[in-house]
Amino acid sequence: MNKEELEQAMDIYQDMIYRIAMNFTQNTADAQDISQEVFLRLYRFDRSFSSEEHRRAWLIRVTINLCKNIVCSKWHKIMQQSPEEIQNLASYDHENLEKRMWVTTAMQHLSKTDRMILHLYYYEEYDTRSIADFMQIKETAVRKRLSRARKRLEKQLGEEVFRYEAFQLDQTISH
């Protein structure tokens, strides 16, 4: 791979890879390190891809593997930072910022697997078969986990909405 091809791939996939890494690790520095490592591996990869979708799938698989390596490492467990960093993922679209923050906060309470499945399904728009391939589990397991993750997220969002409405009510009463 030459420098121009790498730059093109980075332009296309850098945000996606960073979001996946950030979602999994919940740590800005780790997500940046993983993003760099993914593109280094792409640069060193000496085979060609059969399609752009094949390259995208390869990048996601490498990202997930690197995330698992970091999260499972003893160093990461010792040095783990606060999950508030994940709030940097929220869009700068001010109309939807508040809603996105609710979802981001609620997702922090889910397991890494649930977060990853939800992210790949809703944000990256992969089907359950592709997610199963990425995560190296059965498609039925992905569908079951997706269903459970939705229910858990719905429960979290319900609690977040209740807390927000109570806060708004307190603010109106105190003024």
Side-chain angles (χ1 to χ4, degrees), residues 85 97 157-158 174:
E85 287 185 313
L97 181 61
L157 287 173
S174 65

Side-chain angles (χ1 to χ4, degrees), residues 12-151:
I12 296 170
Y13 297 112
Q14 190 168 21
D15 290 340
M16 176 192 72
I17 289 170
Y18 178 78
R19 285 190 313 266
I20 291 170
M22 185 65 180
N23 193 349
F24 202 92
T25 64
Q26 296 187 3
N27 181 296
T28 303
D30 288 341
Q32 289 170 345
D33 289 347
I34 289 168
S35 297
Q36 278 186 334
E37 182 62 27
V38 167
F39 286 110
L40 280 172
R41 289 184 182 198
L42 177 63
Y43 185 71
R44 293 178 189 142
F45 191 69
D46 61 352
R47 288 175 267 158
S48 61
F49 296 100
S50 59
S51 67
E52 194 60 32
E53 185 59 30
H54 180 221
R55 177 166 53 171
R56 183 176 191 216
W58 184 89
L59 289 167
I60 290 172
R61 182 71 248 157
V62 170
T63 304
I64 290 171
N65 287 340
L66 289 171
C67 288
K68 286 180 180 179
N69 292 346
I70 285 181
V71 170
C72 293
S73 73
K74 188 167 183 107
W75 175 255
H76 183 267
K77 289 175 183 171
I78 293 170
M79 300 303 289
Q80 191 172 22
Q81 293 182 2
S82 172
E84 283 82 26
E85 287 185 313
I86 199 159
Q87 293 179 355
N88 292 331
L89 290 174
S91 168
Y92 293 106
D93 176 9
H94 296 292
E95 292 178 15
N96 295 321
L97 181 61
E98 203 166 86
K99 291 177 186 174
R100 290 176 186 262
M101 293 302 287
W102 283 348
V103 173
T104 302
T105 302
M107 283 183 69
Q108 289 177 11
H109 300 288
L110 301 176
S111 71
K112 290 176 183 68
T113 304
D114 286 351
R115 284 195 311 267
M116 184 58 62
I117 288 173
L118 287 170
H119 181 85
L120 290 173
Y121 189 80
Y122 288 107
Y123 292 99
E124 304 304 332
E125 299 177 351
Y126 276 99
D127 60 10
T128 54
R129 173 170 284 178
S130 299
I131 295 169
D133 291 341
F134 294 143
M135 301 191 73
Q136 299 173 337
I137 58 177
K138 292 183 180 183
E139 186 178 1
T140 55
V142 170
R143 285 196 297 267
K144 188 70 166 175
R145 288 179 182 184
L146 184 59
S147 173
R148 288 178 182 165
R150 284 180 186 136
K151 288 176 185 173

